[in-house]
Amino acid sequence: MSGPEERRDRRYDVPLTVADPGAARANGHRPAADESDTAATDEPVASAPAEAATDAPAGRDEPATDAPGGGGAGRGPAVPDRPGDHWDRKVANGLAFLRRRLAGDYEVDEFGFDPELTSAVFHPLLRVLYRDWFRTEVTGIEHVPTDGAGLVVGNHSGTVALDALILSAALHDRHPARRYLRLLGADLVFRMPVVSELARKSGGTVACNPDAERLLGNGELVGVFPEGFKGVGKLYSERYKLQRFGRGGFVSAALRTGTPIVPVAIVGGEEIYPMLADIKPLARLLKLPYFPVTPTFPWLGPLGMVPLPSKWLIEFCPPIPTAHLTDSADDPLVVFNLADQVRETIQQTLHKLLERRPDPFGP
């Protein structure tokens, strides 16, 4: 055959696949030239990437270099794998969290405590406050039990009870076992529609002996502030002076369960909203325990709710054992003496911390 018919048949002599010379060289042997293919096509076969680069037409943008592992000529250099981007991981984790919440794939205990929501939402918000805004220093964390029940008893202050929330977040972050603090709150907290739900989700419950004993019996770490609203709502002139500890119900709960009591002193809460006066008629009208007047509230409106950036110090004191007094849970004298010992321990620790922090708004 000759002419167009011959040329039409000769193109089928070209092999449909050509071995990659770079891949063959990478396997330890040189590819052999196929003379029949060369003769049939009358075209030179590239024998090396360097030759291909020389024969490449001018004006081609991509570099004629081999990719690692014998990718052949005409490919750009391979980009090495990089670690996952930090924000990409955050977005992925956030989407996974939302998916679990919408699907109901999470657990709460009998009190309504949601550990996942607390760790993913509540604690990160509080972490910004206690670490960056209040510059909190925590000492004595080794006195908090690593496992098993424990009753953490602290002083209360600040017009708005931020000290309880800051204490729970700081303890969880600094404790080697990352323990959650189950706070006992006043009845008013659990009568407020939104606040009540948030308190339950974050691990709180009503400050009553049956709930406290159930939590301690389950081996939980429980936090209580025996001063109550008397401590939170005291005037700035009475700062860091502990109020009466009520009837010592927290001591009875500790005695019945043989739980050690860990006193904790908190310095810094008194300065976030310095309470200058209490408008009692307005408090009665709104059914509140007090209506505060501070240097910024109500004068600045919502801006007056921004806490002042005071320096915080939190110190956990050595635990007070109660296992040897379980038979005296109903003895008023034992309960009173133990409550007074806890109160005096906290008061003396407050004096010591105030000496360490001469400037309330210092570094």
Side-chain angles (χ1 to χ4, degrees):
M1 289 184 293
S2 62
E5 294 183 1
E6 181 181 2
R7 285 195 298 271
R8 187 166 55 249
D9 291 340
R10 284 174 57 189
R11 61 182 175 181
Y12 292 103
D13 297 333
V14 181
L16 296 180
T17 58
V18 179
D20 188 346
R25 189 167 54 255
N27 291 330
H29 51 270
R30 183 181 181 86
D34 192 336
E35 297 179 358
S36 60
D37 292 341
T38 304
T41 59
D42 295 328
E43 296 178 358
V45 177
S47 59
E51 296 176 10
T54 304
D55 296 336
R60 179 174 294 179
D61 294 331
E62 60 262 54
T65 55
D66 280 332
R75 297 186 183 180
V79 178
D81 292 337
R82 297 178 181 177
D85 183 77
H86 175 68
W87 289 106
D88 286 347
R89 289 196 301 270
K90 280 186 172 293
V91 171
N93 291 338
L95 293 176
F97 171 77
L98 291 176
R99 191 183 304 112
R100 289 194 300 272
R101 307 305 298 185
L102 294 174
D105 187 16
Y106 60 91
E107 296 181 358
V108 297
D109 68 4
E110 57 181 320
F111 295 93
F113 175 46
D114 190 335
E116 183 185 45
L117 186 66
T118 301
S119 297
V121 178
F122 299 148
H123 282 177
L125 295 175
L126 293 171
R127 193 172 294 126
V128 175
L129 274 179
Y130 91 77
R131 185 181 59 190
D132 302 325
W133 190 249
F134 295 139
R135 309 171 305 284
T136 306
E137 295 181 12
V138 180
T139 56
I141 194 69
E142 67 276 4
H143 297 310
V144 180
T146 303
D147 52 22
L151 184 63
V152 178
V153 183
N155 59 298
H156 222 9
S157 63
T159 306
V160 177
L162 279 181
D163 50 5
L165 303 178
I166 295 297
L167 178 65
S168 65
L171 188 152
H172 178 266
D173 287 354
R174 302 298 176 86
H175 197 279
R178 310 282 286 182
R179 301 201 65 180
Y180 292 102
L181 185 65
R182 308 298 297 273
L183 295 171
L184 303 180
D187 294 344
L188 176 63
V189 174
F190 297 94
R191 291 201 303 266
M192 302 172 70
V194 177
V195 175
S196 172
E197 184 68 17
L198 293 178
R200 290 286 186 186
K201 291 289 186 181
S202 62
T205 190
V206 181
C208 62
N209 273 23
D211 281 6
E213 291 176 18
R214 283 166 62 197
L215 285 169
L216 294 173
N218 293 337
E220 299 286 353
L221 197 61
V222 178
V224 63
F225 297 86
E227 293 176 278
F229 287 120
K230 298 188 301 293
V232 181
K234 62 178 177 289
L235 297 177
Y236 186 66
S237 59
E238 299 294 318
R239 61 190 179 278
Y240 300 116
K241 295 180 181 178
L242 265 66
Q243 306 299 300
R244 189 172 61 88
F245 266 19
R247 292 172 293 182
F250 71 96
V251 173
S252 299
L255 291 176
R256 285 192 175 90
T257 56
T259 301
I261 299 175
V262 182
V264 59
I266 305 172
V267 164
E270 299 279 15
E271 291 85 14
I272 60 174
Y273 302 110
M275 188 167 166
L276 306 178
D278 176 14
I279 306 178
K280 296 185 182 298
L282 192 54
R284 287 194 294 269
L285 179 64
L286 298 175
K287 297 182 180 180
L288 297 174
Y290 52 86
F291 189 89
V293 176
T294 74
T296 59
F297 182 84
W299 325 113
L300 299 182
L303 287 177
M305 297 301 295
V306 177
L308 298 178
S310 58
K311 171 71 176 180
W312 283 48
L313 301 176
I314 299 177
E315 180 167 336
F316 295 92
C317 305
I320 301 173
T322 64
H324 62 292
L325 297 172
T326 53
D327 296 335
S328 304
D330 296 322
D331 188 336
L333 184 60
V334 174
V335 171
F336 175 80
N337 288 338
L338 191 54
D340 191 59
Q341 179 185 353
V342 174
R343 184 179 181 277
E344 187 64 24
T345 301
I346 296 174
Q347 185 68 77
Q348 295 302 321
T349 307
L350 286 174
H351 292 324
K352 182 178 67 173
L353 293 178
L354 288 170
E355 293 178 359
R356 281 178 47 196
R357 193 208 64 164
D359 182 4
F361 299 98

